[in-house]
Amino acid sequence: MNLTPAFRGLRCPDCESLASFDAEGRCACGTPREAVYDYDAVDADALVSADVSGRGHWRFDALLPFHASEAITAGEGSTPLIPADRLADELAVDEVFIKDEGRNPTGSVLDRGMSLAVTALSGLDDPSTAEPVALASTGNSGQAAAAYLGRLGLRSYSFVPSRAAFSNKAMINVHDGGMRVVGGRYGDAADAVDDQLATDYCSLQEFETAYRHEGAKTVAFELGTDLDECPDFVFVPTSTGELIAGICKGFEELVAVGAIAETPTVVAVQPTSCAPIAAAIEAGSDVPEPWAVPDTIVGELEVPDPAGGSQAVDALRRTGGDAITAGDSDILESATAVARHEIVEMGAAGGAAPAGAWNWADEVGFTGDETVVLLNTESGTKTPDILRSHLMGQGV
Ligand SMILES: [Zn+2]
């Protein structure tokens, strides 16, 4: 595999050993590895002005391990920033944009990381040696894995909790992915991978592969370069920590190559009834405590023991970010309000972004001149039943 000039390999942030692109995502010392680059070798102007047409987030391959020409891709990324003037008025800020990740090939932001992770597998001498490829998923990542592995002719095995959205389960099958529906919640599905697979397997779990959060960083590359100025706030629905760790890293890399002056304030938004990362930020601790009794209707965000929890907390601390919670009812109300007024169809998880911004306005406050981005992490077609039942619960 032909690696990009700036890519230096996968480095362990703990013992600092450097490994090649195809090493396991976790170092022998137990710490997840990070993709590292020689930032002096990256031309910021070329990075920012790279041709957008048809390449999706691979236009930023100067700061990715693999060349766009070798990517396993369906054009993920290059998602639109949709102005939401009514929301800007209501939040009393200068501008609000919705970054609509529902437009990705399988309808969620997770396509970005899956594209990188599966491209890495394509670079093995014989990709079929990676089989079986498995992961536990709240739904969207299982769907993305089935889709991208299908391009390589590899079969995925997704372990999803019984409460995962019907659309995810159906589309995992449509992509010809293997699926095991595990009774209970996400933690039960995660336990089932090791319990039920009686063989070694290649994990596509976030922070077991180094490439899931690495792919998420291209959200920051687009936010940092698509507007005339980098936004001031980015509200991110948060579950495993993958998006927070990746997006913060992306902004830091833009600063490192001189493309932007400073990182924006990234705010992780979690449901009030499953908020281990927000609780760790609040308590000033480095490692989130597993959430004892998770209970949110937003299944995609119900991750009580996040794999990237400490990475997310560290990323928020490094970049001056923060975290906030929002109740289920506010999350669903926000998603449906955006659909009513702003055209964009947000999935239930996506509703956490506007709900978090509302709570930020109430509890912390904006000064009035900010540009605020709300990250819609998934398409409204993922969870129409949850959104509709919320309205029915209000007598609509
Ligand atoms: Zn190590």
Side-chain angles (χ1 to χ4, degrees), residues 109-130:
V109 65
L110 300 174
D111 286 339
R112 294 174 185 263
M114 206 57 77
S115 173
L116 258 71
V118 175
T119 298
L121 294 181
S122 78
L124 302 175
D125 291 339
D126 177 3
S128 72
T129 58

Side-chain angles (χ1 to χ4, degrees), residues 69-90:
S69 58
E70 299 190 41
I72 305 297
T73 177
E76 60 288 329
S78 286
T79 55
L81 268 174
I82 297 143
D85 295 344
R86 184 195 294 245
L87 277 171
D89 285 345
E90 290 170 353

Side-chain angles (χ1 to χ4, degrees), residues 12 14-17 27-31:
C12 172
D14 192 14
C15 72
E16 302 197 345
S17 62
C27 176
C29 80
T31 305

Side-chain angles (χ1 to χ4, degrees), residues 97-149:
F97 294 92
I98 299 167
K99 175 78 168 160
D100 188 11
E101 292 293 305
R103 314 285 182 99
N104 279 303
T106 78
S108 89
V109 65
L110 300 174
D111 286 339
R112 294 174 185 263
M114 206 57 77
S115 173
L116 258 71
V118 175
T119 298
L121 294 181
S122 78
L124 302 175
D125 291 339
D126 177 3
S128 72
T129 58
E131 290 187 306
V133 185
L135 74 166
S137 172
T138 47
N140 286 337
S141 59
Q143 183 177 340
Y148 283 82
L149 286 167

Side-chain angles (χ1 to χ4, degrees), residues 21 49 68 79 91 102 105 107 121 145 190 194 219 222 248 274 277-279 287-288 312 314 334 365 369 389:
F21 84 92
S49 62
T79 55
L91 290 172
L121 294 181
D194 283 322
V219 170
E222 292 170 14
C248 290
C274 186
I277 291 171
V287 181
D314 183 47
S334 297
D369 59 354
S389 70

